[in-house]
Amino acid sequence: ALARSERVVAICHRDSIHEQIVGAIRRHCPGDVIASIVAGGYPRMDRRITVGMVPTMDRRLDRLAALEGCTLFVDEAHHLPTDQWQRVERALRPSKVCGLTATPLRPDGRGLGDTGTFDVMFKGPPIAQLMAEGSLCPEYEIIACKNSMSSKGLPKRAGDYSTREMEKRVAEINGDIVRDWLTLLPDRLPTITVAVSVRHAHEVAAMYQAAGVPAAVVDGTMSKEKCKAVY
């Protein structure tokens, strides 16, 4: 796209993803200046490459007219059918759109072609190939815990399970989470435990700490600096 002198815009919704995209572009296009549309910053809108955070762009729709006709890259493209992302796309009025996602099936059942944006889907390389190329970790071990939460009968909202009901259901196995970890990981490898909500994450961290295992919570309300410090 840059070789054809097109303006390139990439959009995403997470700070960590934004950093990855900017870093990748700098590696591949070291001579180009990147404009970043993020909270607190007001970059020049005449750069050849712009990487923007969708929530920030949604608050500055009037400024996006300068980017009209761009070639648009949409990371986590399964979010594109949502209202906020649609407003950003309409403001940009891109000439071409390339969406990237590992989860093209949305919880609400809508396909990525339903928005009228995408016409064709290209399937990416399988996981085994990416592992063989060294793009993903080539070695892993799957350990199944004896105790697990059943999702049978859980009510859904907008195609996904109700967080409040999941909190109630997962309470049944809370006492088993740390016990299983202590049993199945005797070498105490660093571990990420995924909770069903922020409140549940704090409950699980407290259980690890009560068992003498250092644990901390990372959630979407925390700053990038605090998240990095925890990791």
Side-chain angles (χ1 to χ4, degrees):
L2 292 173
R4 293 191 296 269
S5 299
E6 298 173 14
R7 296 282 298 281
V8 172
V9 177
I11 61 175
C12 59
H13 72 309
R14 291 276 188 268
D15 287 335
S16 56
I17 298 176
H18 180 274
E19 290 179 1
Q20 292 171 16
I21 294 173
V22 170
I25 293 173
R26 283 176 176 160
R27 287 195 301 273
H28 292 284
C29 310
D32 284 294
V33 178
I34 303 168
S36 290
I37 303 178
V38 296
Y42 289 85
R44 287 175 50 176
M45 304 296 279
D46 60 349
R47 303 298 189 189
R48 296 197 334 152
I49 305 173
T50 301
V51 182
M53 295 276 288
V54 170
T56 304
M57 298 174 82
D58 187 42
R59 293 191 295 270
R60 305 177 188 172
L61 294 175
D62 57 327
R63 302 195 71 215
L64 301 186
L67 302 174
E68 283 187 10
C70 64
T71 295
L72 177 64
F73 289 88
V74 183
D75 203 14
E76 304 291 342
H78 48 277
H79 291 292
L80 194 60
T82 61
D83 292 341
Q84 186 181 61
W85 290 60
Q86 283 287 290
R87 287 193 295 269
V88 171
E89 184 194 8
R90 286 194 297 268
L92 291 171
R93 299 181 64 182
S95 58
K96 290 185 287 292
V97 182
C98 175
L100 307 159
T101 178
T103 51
L105 298 176
R106 286 177 48 83
D108 62 6
R110 296 180 67 188
L112 294 185
D114 293 346
T115 62
T117 299
F118 299 110
D119 304 303
V120 63
M121 181 167 70
F122 296 96
K123 187 177 180 181
I127 291 175
Q129 178 182 334
L130 293 172
M131 291 169 63
E133 293 173 350
S135 298
L136 295 178
C137 181
E139 297 180 8
Y140 64 92
E141 184 177 2
I142 295 177
I143 303 172
C145 295
K146 182 175 66 175
N147 306 289
S148 61
M149 185 191 81
S150 171
S151 60
K152 186 176 181 180
L154 270 177
K156 291 186 176 183
R157 292 179 182 174
D160 210 349
Y161 293 120
S162 163
T163 299
R164 180 173 297 179
E165 295 302 319
M166 287 180 70
E167 285 180 334
K168 295 177 182 177
R169 188 72 61 88
V170 79
E172 302 171 4
I173 65 164
N174 267 356
D176 300 315
I177 294 173
V178 176
R179 190 181 307 117
D180 284 343
W181 185 85
L182 291 168
T183 303
L184 297 172
L185 255 73
D187 47 0
R188 305 293 187 265
L189 293 173
T191 302
I192 295 177
T193 298
V194 182
V196 302
S197 67
V198 174
R199 180 166 61 181
H200 182 235
H202 284 277
E203 292 175 357
V204 174
M207 289 187 290
Y208 275 115
Q209 293 163 0
V213 180
V217 175
V218 171
D219 65 60
T221 67
M222 296 165 56
S223 67
K224 290 186 292 184
E225 291 73 20
K226 194 168 184 179
C227 289
K228 288 180 180 178
V230 170
Y231 288 131

